[in-house]
Amino acid sequence: MENNRFGETKYRNYGILEMFSEELDTWVYAINVDQILDEPELFRNKISRERYEKMLRYHNRLDKMLLVGNEILFEYGISRYFPEVAFSEWKRHVDAAGKPYVEGPRQLYFNMSHAGTYSVCAFSKNPVGVDIEKIRPVDLSIAERHYCHSEYEEIMRHQGNEQIKRFYQYWVLKESFTKAVGLGLSIPLNVFSFDTGEDDGVLYVEHSINRGKYLSQQFPFRDIRYEMALCIQGA
């Protein structure tokens, strides 16, 4: 008997990308919603009523499909972790700090993001944040006003498109951290920065509001028009 509402065959048809960070012990799933040919309204019985009603409030089809994409990945990720457990046994919650998690046979943290035509969803045993952004032209004075001075200086040492790329690499790192902490962009982006640790590709960040040890990572994405980063709260 199927334990999910989409089915493995349907999952394959959606072309879901599976990525794993060994350093952060975190799975990330992504889907290009342009590959989903079904109309959003056909997902009425495949996503929760609350999320479906939220989707209906969107006017743009792409916005609707990005939400649908997140829901597909949410269920897909849980089914990959625990294929023997019916999806209906999992309950979605938000803790006191605003960090989303699901509870069933065990507790599992997750986080969602979307940009352009991609939805992404990350799963971890620890509080997790994920952010994806599509690289577009940007006013670099945003970095001067909102990033740490050293980060802005590092961006400006580059030229042309590389400046824009570095801007977004910092942005996804910062936003994934604020999501892992659970306080979102209420945290000023210039009050924390990232230090390289002993492990290649892992960055360490500690914030005075929450003194948990956080691990961050710029995460390579198959589509080079995008930047993505992960952050988890360490033990």
Side-chain angles (χ1 to χ4, degrees), residues 180-197:
V181 172
L183 299 175
L185 291 179
S186 64
I187 303 175
L189 298 181
N190 61 359
V191 299
F192 61 93
S193 58
F194 303 90
D195 294 319
T196 302

Side-chain angles (χ1 to χ4, degrees), residues 8-22:
E8 289 299 327
T9 300
K10 192 66 172 178
Y11 283 141
R12 287 195 295 270
N13 290 343
Y14 290 152
I16 293 173
L17 305 175
E18 300 189 22
M19 298 160 279
F20 181 67
S21 169
E22 293 184 5

Side-chain angles (χ1 to χ4, degrees), residues 5-6 40-48 52 75:
R5 292 167 288 184
F6 295 100
E41 288 71 21
L42 295 178
F43 289 85
R44 181 179 188 126
N45 297 319
K46 296 181 179 180
I47 64 178
S48 71
Y52 181 78
E75 186 166 329

Side-chain angles (χ1 to χ4, degrees), residues 65-83:
M65 291 310 301
L66 288 169
L67 184 148
V68 167
N70 279 138
E71 292 303 299
I72 290 172
L73 296 173
F74 174 68
E75 186 166 329
Y76 179 76
I78 291 175
S79 73
R80 296 287 282 171
Y81 264 92
F82 300 101

